[in-house]
Amino acid sequence: VPQASTYIDLSIPGVPLPILTYEVPESLGRAPIAGMRAVVPLGKRIVTGFITEVHQRTATANIRAVLELPDSEAIMSEQIIRLCRWISHYYHAPLGETLKATLPQGMDIEGERIIAMQTADIEQIESAIGRSKIKRAILDQLSTGEVISEDKLRKTVHASSISAQLRDLSADGIISIETVMKAPTAKVKYRKAIRLQAGWQREAQIRELIELIEKRAPKQVNIIALLWSAFQKGVVSLPMQEAIESARTGSSAVHALADKEIIEIFEEEVTREVSITYEEVDKEITLTDEQQSVFATLSAQIDAGEFAANLLYGVTGSGKTQVYIEAIAHALATGMNALVLVPEVSLTPQLVYRFRKAFGDEVTVMHSRLSIGERFDAWRLTREGKYRVVVGVRSAIFAPLDNLGIIIVDEEHEPSYKQSDQQPRFHARDVAVMRGWTESAVVVLGSATPSAESWHNAQQGKYQLIEMTKRIAGATMPEITIVDMIEARKMSAAKGSFSDDLLARLRSRREQSEGSIVFQNRRGYAMHIECGDCDYVPHCINCSITLTYHKDKQLLQCHYCGYTSRLPLNCPECGSKELHQQGSGTQRLEEELQELIPETRILRMDFDSTRRKGSHDMMLTSFAEDGADVLLGTQMVAKGLDFDRVTLVGVVSAEQSLLMPDFRAEERTFQLLTQVSGRSGRGAKKGEVVLQSTQTAHQVFTHILEDDYRGFITIELQRRKALFYPPFARVVLITFLDDNDGKAAAASRVFANLIEHKADFFKMYPPQAALIKRINRKYRYQVFCRVDKQKDPDGLRFESVLKAAETEFHKRRESRGVIVVIDIDPYNLM
DNA sequence: AGCACGCCGACT
DNA sequence: GTCGGCGTGCTC
């Protein structure tokens, strides 16, 4: 009797193939559903893919069978799949890769080849080895009788690939190769726990038992007493390890009780969760009229249960966080769930703390510093409905929450929302709006300095503009002063990086025990080494980048690839001993300030000093409580901090970000300086801000001094329109990477030629070397396009041009091996 | 002759 | 992306 077969369409990440069709054998005993994973054979490999479609007929020949359906139900919702389809088209990323990005790491089920020795016949082995060194090394390793995976074997024999050798040896009958499925790295964690057996849960029995064994087995009595007192408090089981420790005994007492069937030892699921180390004194919270009115708008939208997109433009200190909390509480109360995106969790301990305070066990946090297990648990338990509020970074936009009521994107202008290092290169804010649309949720984009894109969308009526113009009770906007550093240096009114003006204010804050923040508006540490006698500057051997000097480790380090080298004693070019430090990183700045104001207590906060888990929280707590005078750091000190005692913010070189070769330089400078200024005067006392700059005449500073966002963004949008930049055009950056300079350059020209003749709805700049021409041993060339949004509203026209060009490009032999990176709406043009 | 390496097409 | 088949060129 012929049976109807079931087929699935599978999207496989990491394989540049179209969607493939497989047959599902009935022997698997499980019906496939879109959104489940499927483990399948692909060539000689075993890989995991995502089911996007289930059907009963197929026109495809040569169909292979699914090996396993590991999920008992769909692990991604239909809406998430729909969202991924959009992302895949808009951002020109493979669907499989995009679907994979919605899951935590370590869930892959892959094949692994296990190698074992098959014969001990020396002659046979010697003849199979022949003259191959690799084969000899492989068999030397295997002769111990060890059974080992191909991967481990390859590493122990130090070869780049041993697949050909293994194939030969297997054909000669020397070794056996078996492909097995490797267990995923992310697993549910269990621990041993103990509980009283059902028959031993009454007081009389326990008393009787204790009396009986008191003399002979006092340790067992301890355990029983512990379990009984917990039981009375409603705690049914205790972790075995902890119980043994508090009973001051060993496992034998526990096992004895288990043997007597008084207690039971069982495996208990453990949730891995990070505890937060940041704490603050809780303030009395009542909503201001303005907060109340924003809340009213949002709660009405939530009740309507329809998609709505809002731009919440609220000045720093206007209390956006509290509005978020109230709106989420409202969504939860009506049975809906909430998603909150933040630029970087470790930079917003205060926000996380307040959410934990407000929502307790219902909230989970997702970010990159979590371990694989922690991330897996956060994802899994969210999907199971244990968590109803997810606070997380960019990737948390895919959190498996159903019944979404509200999605909040805090600090929506932050560049960290754009993923640029791997596919899909999506913008989490834009995906959030799309997710809100597909799931009929309310979307709130919050910022004190909205991005040009969002402001434009609000003006166009795509987003509803909601404003919060006042700081909450007591706090006023700080007074901003600008110091012309060129003038100050001429007049000898500056010492090193600090103007006399800023120094005087820092001194007076210290005397009044008020806090100050000194902000170094510079990415990383710009400390390099220069020879005083020739023009030698140490560069990275892999990248066209000067090496950065780290004084504490006495090392030179590449900011891009991580290459390190020792600090040379003499100049390698001319032998001179005159090697000087140039530039001023945060470390140098700290030393300078310490020298200028010896009695001041400085807390330095940058990437290096906060690398350890939780050290960021600890520094902030210590600045808030024990009161160092100055918090000195990079962009980290600009973000989300809310300290009443800070009344002065100094920016050392306010022009730095302005001089970056990027069309967003002005916007970023305005955002950064407004943000850092907002750290001053959040309490009752009025704050001050000192901006030191060599470019005081620049228009950006006029708007910053007047705290005039509208004035700034109006002019900025005019400029963007005139130059055909976003939000008026859609920017696409195509980068070509190769070890060989000429090959990368040629590839960029080939590709440019392939798209140029289609350029009736976009403009293309001719290909050129990237600003940093070499990173990680790869030369980089770029083609920059600006697509007319009117003529290509959803980006699909340009996508098809890219697709066609890529297909043609890969046919050319001169482009072989060249890596092509396509970034839609890029945020980093370097 | 035997082996390494690069090129190229297939992968459901 | 990874694999196998095939051709080329190098070494013993």
Side-chain angles (χ1 to χ4, degrees):
Chain A
V1 184
Q3 279 188 337
S5 290
T6 306
Y7 301 94
I8 54 170
D9 285 350
L10 210 57
S11 224
I12 303 170
V15 178
L17 290 172
I19 284 171
L20 302 177
T21 304
Y22 286 86
E23 188 180 354
V24 182
E26 288 202 13
S27 57
L28 290 179
R30 187 172 271 172
I33 301 170
M36 278 182 177
R37 291 172 298 166
V39 182
V40 296
L42 179 70
K44 290 262 167 185
R45 289 178 291 164
I46 295 174
V47 295
T48 311
F50 303 103
I51 303 177
T52 54
E53 212 79 56
V54 179
H55 45 99
Q56 304 303 320
R57 297 174 175 285
T58 181
T60 323
N62 309 324
I63 287 188
R64 294 176 81 180
V66 172
L67 297 172
E68 198 179 343
L69 294 174
D71 306 313
S72 59
E73 53 191 351
I75 56 167
M76 40 185 96
S77 65
E78 276 173 43
Q79 286 109 319
I80 290 283
I81 298 174
R82 211 182 316 153
L83 186 68
C84 287
R85 285 188 199 277
W86 173 78
I87 291 170
S88 169
H89 280 126
Y90 184 81
Y91 292 106
H92 193 73
L95 182 58
E97 225 79 1
T98 309
L99 292 166
K100 191 180 172 178
T102 73
L103 300 177
Q105 266 177 25
M107 284 184 61
D108 284 353
I109 299 166
E110 284 168 323
E112 187 180 43
R113 277 194 288 228
I114 304 293
I115 318 298
M117 204 73 177
Q118 196 72 342
T119 175
D121 186 334
I122 303 288
E123 259 175 55
Q124 200 188 344
I125 291 172
E126 281 303 322
S127 96
I129 289 174
R131 275 176 287 168
S132 168
K133 281 179 192 152
I134 296 177
K135 283 182 186 171
R136 184 168 297 281
I138 290 171
L139 293 176
D140 271 354
Q141 183 64 33
L142 289 173
S143 62
T144 59
E146 195 183 4
V147 176
I148 188 174
S149 75
E150 177 179 355
D151 225 35
K152 275 193 187 153
L153 192 57
R154 189 177 51 74
K155 276 173 195 151
T156 50
V157 305
H158 306 289
S160 57
S161 166
I162 55 172
S163 59
Q165 287 80 3
L166 291 179
R167 198 202 317 144
D168 291 354
L169 290 172
S170 171
D172 291 344
I174 308 294
I175 59 166
S176 67
I177 303 175
E178 194 192 359
T179 306
V180 299
M181 276 179 241
K182 205 162 59 171
T185 42
K187 296 185 206 66
V188 179
K189 188 181 177 183
Y190 294 96
R191 68 178 163 201
K192 286 200 165 138
I194 52 173
R195 64 186 164 215
L196 289 168
Q197 291 221 4
W200 291 91
Q201 295 176 351
R202 268 176 301 144
E203 184 155 7
Q205 281 176 304
I206 295 290
R207 280 188 191 289
E208 206 177 305
L209 175 70
I210 288 177
E211 247 168 65
L212 191 70
I213 63 171
E214 208 162 18
K215 292 251 166 58
R216 279 182 294 129
K219 298 295 186 188
Q220 293 183 24
V221 172
N222 287 351
I223 303 263
I224 297 287
L226 271 173
L227 280 171
W228 180 244
S229 81
F231 186 81
Q232 283 175 309
K233 287 177 205 141
V235 180
V236 179
S237 70
L238 293 174
M240 187 158 110
Q241 193 59 41
E242 282 171 37
I244 285 170
E245 269 164 36
S246 34
R248 297 172 186 286
T249 175
S251 62
S252 60
V254 170
H255 285 293
L257 286 167
D259 289 343
K260 285 187 254 181
E261 299 193 338
I262 295 166
I263 66 166
E264 190 182 359
I265 302 172
F266 67 104
E267 294 282 323
E268 176 182 65
E269 211 178 290
V270 189
T271 305
R272 288 156 288 194
E273 218 169 4
V274 192
S275 58
I276 51 168
T277 46
Y278 177 82
E279 274 193 42
E280 64 181 17
V281 185
D282 296 326
K283 297 178 194 168
E284 182 79 24
I285 300 160
T286 33
L287 293 191
T288 63
D289 290 352
E290 217 174 38
Q291 286 176 314
Q292 189 61 48
S293 130
V294 177
F295 170 67
T297 307
L298 297 179
S299 56
Q301 289 178 356
I302 291 166
D303 290 341
E306 281 169 17
F307 167 70
N310 305 280
L311 175 60
L312 176 56
Y313 164 46
V315 298
T316 45
S318 59
K320 289 191 288 288
T321 307
Q322 199 52 42
V323 173
Y324 298 155
I325 289 173
E326 301 287 336
I328 290 166
H330 183 79
L332 295 184
T334 54
M336 289 191 272
N337 302 320
L339 179 51
V340 183
L341 297 190
V342 292
E344 205 187 312
V345 166
S346 64
L347 297 186
T348 48
Q350 291 176 320
L351 184 138
V352 172
Y353 172 80
R354 286 175 201 175
F355 273 73
R356 276 271 162 85
K357 198 94 193 163
F359 304 113
D361 288 347
E362 298 207 296
V363 62
T364 186
V365 176
M366 295 182 178
H367 59 90
S368 56
R369 286 205 189 184
L370 299 182
S371 67
I372 287 180
E374 286 162 348
R375 254 182 269 192
F376 178 62
D377 282 357
W379 174 84
R380 181 173 62 95
L381 297 170
T382 300
R383 209 176 65 76
E384 288 172 9
K386 183 181 174 233
Y387 299 122
R388 299 184 59 202
V389 182
V390 172
V391 179
V393 296
R394 180 171 79 212
S395 58
I397 187 57
F398 301 114
L401 286 163
D402 58 3
N403 204 11
L404 261 183
I406 186 165
I407 305 175
I408 290 161
V409 183
D410 190 33
E411 309 291 354
E412 64 84 25
H413 61 275
E414 280 294 322
S416 64
Y417 284 124
K418 183 66 181 14
Q419 175 152 299
S420 55
D421 55 345
Q422 57 176 306
Q423 285 182 325
R425 298 187 163 76
F426 66 99
H427 197 303
R429 175 239 291 145
D430 299 335
V431 173
V433 173
M434 207 53 178
R435 184 163 183 191
W437 164 255
T438 46
E439 305 193 25
S440 298
V442 173
V443 180
V444 181
L445 312 178
S447 176
T449 50
S451 61
E453 286 82 355
S454 294
W455 189 259
H456 181 66
N457 279 333
Q459 281 188 327
Q460 299 285 302
K462 285 188 184 167
Y463 303 159
Q464 182 178 339
L465 182 65
I466 307 176
E467 284 187 74
M468 288 168 70
T469 56
K470 301 186 197 78
R471 283 190 153 188
I472 43 179
T476 47
M477 294 309 278
E479 196 170 298
I480 306 176
T481 317
I482 192 159
V483 176
D484 185 338
M485 283 307 276
I486 292 176
E487 197 63 21
R489 291 215 171 92
K490 265 192 215 151
M491 311 294 285
S492 303
K495 313 235 165 4
S497 309
F498 294 89
S499 63
D500 289 353
D501 188 343
L502 180 53
L503 284 172
R505 290 180 205 238
L506 285 168
R507 281 197 192 93
S508 96
R509 290 307 128 142
R510 205 193 75 79
E511 280 155 17
Q512 289 160 42
S513 315
E514 290 171 21
S516 302
I517 290 177
V518 170
F519 171 57
Q520 166 71 317
N521 186 9
R522 192 189 283 257
R523 296 209 289 168
Y525 332 72
M527 288 253 278
H528 63 271
I529 298 291
E530 242 176 57
C531 175
D533 291 328
C534 69
D535 62 354
Y536 173 73
V537 174
H539 278 71
C540 177
I541 56 164
N542 305 319
C543 317
S544 46
I545 284 287
T546 56
L547 292 170
T548 302
Y549 176 52
H550 289 245
K551 190 175 181 187
D552 45 3
K553 288 173 278 179
Q554 287 291 309
L555 282 176
L556 297 170
Q557 192 164 11
C558 175
H559 190 73
Y560 284 84
C561 74
Y563 167 81
T564 55
S565 78
R566 290 274 200 80
L567 180 68
L569 295 170
N570 304 316
C571 170
E573 302 274 310
C574 70
S576 163
K577 282 190 174 8
E578 299 294 313
L579 293 174
H580 304 295
Q581 305 162 25
Q582 285 295 323
S584 65
T586 42
Q587 291 182 22
R588 165 86 172 272
L589 213 58
E590 182 187 9
E591 281 173 21
E592 249 185 81
L593 185 59
Q594 198 68 76
E595 221 165 277
L596 290 164
I597 315 179
E599 62 280 13
T600 201
R601 289 167 60 216
I602 307 170
L603 210 57
R604 178 169 60 86
M605 198 160 94
D606 54 33
F607 183 72
D608 246 15
S609 67
T610 57
R611 205 183 307 237
R612 274 185 309 118
K613 232 180 181 178
S615 62
H616 187 269
D617 296 10
M618 264 150 38
M619 288 185 99
L620 292 183
T621 310
S622 111
F623 183 62
E625 283 167 9
D626 104 293
D629 302 308
V630 178
L631 181 66
L632 179 148
T634 50
Q635 299 210 8
M636 265 175 219
V637 302
K639 281 169 191 162
L641 307 185
D642 188 357
F643 297 120
D644 285 358
R645 57 182 291 265
V646 174
T647 55
L648 173 66
V649 166
V651 181
V652 174
S653 34
E655 75 287 347
Q656 269 297 328
S657 59
L658 200 54
L659 303 176
M660 303 281 270
D662 187 319
F663 68 86
R664 288 193 179 90
E666 279 88 351
E667 184 186 342
R668 282 209 188 135
T669 304
F670 187 90
Q671 287 164 344
L672 206 53
L673 295 181
T674 303
Q675 202 165 41
V676 71
S677 301
R679 304 305 121 211
S680 180
R682 294 177 83 92
K685 280 198 95 176
K686 192 172 173 71
E688 282 180 13
V689 177
V690 176
L691 306 177
Q692 299 188 153
S693 173
T694 56
Q695 310 272 317
T696 49
H698 199 288
Q699 198 177 24
V700 169
F701 291 115
T702 322
H703 289 122
I704 291 169
L705 286 176
E706 289 166 9
D707 188 35
D708 182 12
Y709 170 77
R710 279 169 184 275
F712 166 74
I713 201 68
T714 306
I715 289 181
E716 179 64 12
L717 283 171
Q718 282 167 9
R719 192 180 70 94
R720 299 277 186 96
K721 192 172 191 175
L723 297 168
F724 197 47
Y725 281 136
F728 301 95
R730 179 178 303 114
V731 165
V732 177
L733 184 66
I734 311 164
T735 307
F736 302 85
L737 304 163
D738 199 89
D739 297 346
N740 181 303
D741 191 0
K743 222 173 141 190
S748 69
R749 287 192 297 270
V750 168
F751 200 96
N753 283 336
L754 286 168
I755 61 172
E756 201 170 21
H757 66 282
K758 302 241 169 124
D760 57 332
F761 64 102
F762 62 91
K763 291 186 178 173
M764 189 193 89
Y765 288 108
Q768 57 172 328
L771 195 68
I772 301 161
K773 199 181 166 186
R774 191 170 175 239
I775 295 181
N776 245 329
R777 296 180 169 273
K778 300 250 187 251
Y779 288 91
R780 311 163 69 239
Y781 285 80
Q782 294 178 326
V783 173
F784 186 79
C785 298
R786 291 167 297 161
V787 182
D788 190 330
K789 281 188 175 179
Q790 243 94 57
K791 292 180 182 161
D792 185 18
D794 47 15
L796 294 184
R797 267 184 88 190
F798 195 73
E799 215 250 335
S800 70
V801 170
L802 283 174
K803 260 210 175 102
E806 266 186 324
T807 311
E808 191 55 37
F809 180 79
H810 288 302
K811 283 184 195 158
R812 308 286 184 90
R813 70 176 13 251
E814 66 264 39
S815 62
R816 185 160 289 280
V818 177
I819 299 166
V820 183
V821 174
I822 295 175
D823 195 343
I824 315 285
D825 303 333
Y827 262 63
N828 185 359
L829 303 178
M830 306 219 286

